[in-house]
Structures are given as C-alpha cells and as structure tokens.
Amino acid sequence: MAPAMPVWAAIIIVLLAIFGASLALVGAFGMLRFRSFYERVHPATLAATLGATSILAACVLYFSLVEGRLLLKALLPMIFIPLVNPVASMLLARAAMSRDYAKALAGQPAPGSEDAEWQRKASELAAARAEAARHTVDDEPPHEAST
Amino acid sequence: MTGSAVLHWGLLAVHAVLAVAFVLAAARLVKGPRAQDRVLAFDAVYLNAALQIVVFGMRVADPGYLEAAIVMTLLGFTSSSALAKFLMRGEVIE
C-alpha cells in the first residue's frame, strides 16, 4: 500500500503518470494502425520521449516526497530514455531505407510490401542513379555510393 | 479520500493503460510484415515493460526498482541498435 501523502501531491503524481501512460497507449495504437513502416516510426517515439519523461517526473516527485529529500535517481532514466530511444529509431529507419533501396535497385519489390509509394520513389531513384552511372567518364574512378 | 488511496488507485489505472499499450505493441510484433516492423515493435514492448517496472516501484515505494528499469532500457537500446546494424549490413560485428 502506498505511504501517506498530501492529496494535492498524490493528484499531481497520478495525473503526470496517467498522462505519460496514455501517451504510450496512443503511440502503441498508432504503431498498430499506420500502414507503412516509415509512418510507424513516428508514433513509436511518442512513448519514448514525452511519455517516459512525464512518468519519470512523477517518479522524481513521488520519491522526493516519500524520502523527505530530493531523490534524483529517477532523473537518470528521465534523461537517458528520451536521448537514446530516438537514436535507435533513427538507426532502424536508416537500415530499413537502405534495405528498401537495395531491393528497388535489384528490381524486386518486397513481396506483400505495403510501402508502395516508397517502392516507386526508390525505383525512380535507382533508375536515375543508373542513368548517371552511364554518363560517367571512363577514366574517372566510378563513384561508389556507400551501402 | 486520502492521498494514499488516490495514489493506489491512480497507479493501478496507470498499470492498466500501460498493459493495453504493451498488448498493442506486441500485436504489431506478431503481425509486423517485415523485420524492421518487428524490431520497432520490440523497442516499444521493452519500453512499456520498463515503464511498468517504474510504476510498480512507485506503488510499493521502493526506489530500487528504478535501477532495474535503467538496466532494462540500456539493454533494450543495445539490442535494438544491434538489430538495426544487422538489418543494414547482414552481420553485427564486422
């Protein structure tokens, strides 16, 4: 059972925590509902940034009131999660982009892919790149794009 | 209604909301048509689990659970960036 606490503090803590949890819910719902991968990256960061921050802010307030002194242990994940989770999302989006690009370059769109718009753009890009490669002067070393 | 009761029921409601978010993310993890969708959903699943642990630590008034949540987010970041590297290059350590 939770320790005794003034009602105003309890209400502030619960409101902050419910706000963060509902942001996590909205993020998960959007991740289930959006159609392409690149749209799904966006709601996934909702829970990681504002959701985690407000739940951990509630945590800082709560433990500071319970212990009777400023307890900043929750400040570590509060800084760490919003800093690091979007980085992971960005790495993942770049990996997905390079995979789609390689597929379009090979002329084989992913079977059952929902990302039709992106596939079209990537195949246009691949065609433009092939066209540019055709016009390079022979004595120049071929420009190798990083994969 | 005392502050203690407000905290008890409010944090239980937070647990429920986070559990629904967890289930939705897990549905995407099962359904996700391609590997990157699954990795993204895994990211959301472990984040929701870490937030559940934080809220549970608040409910039992033990700040020790925060350390578990920190370790969990560290491991989750490491694993999801390793999986992103694997999807990009085909191997993790070159």
Side-chain angles (χ1 to χ4, degrees), chain A residues 101-120:
Chain A
Y101 186 70
K103 275 217 180 82
L105 204 60
Q108 34 171 273
S113 167
E114 302 160 61
D115 312 344
E117 178 74 4
W118 168 258
Q119 291 285 351
R120 192 178 59 71

Side-chain angles (χ1 to χ4, degrees), chain A residues 60-75:
Chain A
V60 169
L61 188 60
Y62 175 81
F63 284 119
S64 299
L65 282 171
V66 166
E67 307 262 319
R69 64 194 167 89
L70 198 58
L71 193 76
L72 292 182
K73 200 190 250 177
L75 214 57

Side-chain angles (χ1 to χ4, degrees), chain A residues 1-7 9-11 13-14 17-18 20-22 24-26 28-29 31-38 40-42 44 47-49 51-52 55-56 58-59 62-63 66-67 71 73-74 76-77 80-81 84-85 87-89 91-92 94-100 103 110 112-115 119 147, chain B residues 1-11 13-15 17-29 31-48 50-51 54-55 57-67 69-70 73-74 76-77 80-89:
Chain A
M1 196 68 189
M5 186 166 285
V7 180
I11 286 176
I13 288 166
V14 164
I18 283 200
S22 41
L25 180 65
V26 168
F29 185 68
M31 213 165 63
L32 194 64
R33 204 175 140 74
F34 280 163
R35 271 176 314 198
S36 81
F37 172 77
Y38 301 99
R40 275 178 221 133
V41 175
H42 165 228
T49 50
I55 286 185
L56 289 162
C59 209
Y62 175 81
F63 284 119
V66 166
E67 307 262 319
L71 193 76
K73 200 190 250 177
L76 189 62
F80 183 75
I81 295 177
V84 130
N85 210 300
V87 173
S89 294
L91 283 175
L92 193 63
R94 283 176 62 101
M97 207 175 83
S98 97
R99 280 176 63 137
D100 280 348
K103 275 217 180 82
S113 167
E114 302 160 61
D115 312 344
Q119 291 285 351
T147 48
Chain B
M1 200 158 181
T2 63
S4 171
V6 170
L7 266 180
H8 182 71
W9 292 108
L11 292 182
V14 171
H15 268 306
V17 174
L18 280 177
V20 175
F22 187 97
V23 167
L24 290 182
R28 176 50 78 188
L29 181 64
K31 196 170 123 189
R34 297 163 76 194
Q36 50 262 42
D37 295 301
R38 292 178 207 273
V39 178
L40 192 71
F42 165 74
D43 222 44
V45 162
Y46 86 73
L47 187 74
N48 278 319
L51 291 180
V54 168
V55 175
M58 278 164 78
R59 212 153 59 80
V60 299
D62 184 0
Y65 284 96
L66 276 175
E67 279 147 26
I70 292 171
T73 52
L74 272 169
F77 168 66
S80 59
S81 55
L83 280 169
K85 184 91 191 299
F86 177 73
L87 289 183
M88 182 107 101
R89 303 270 180 161

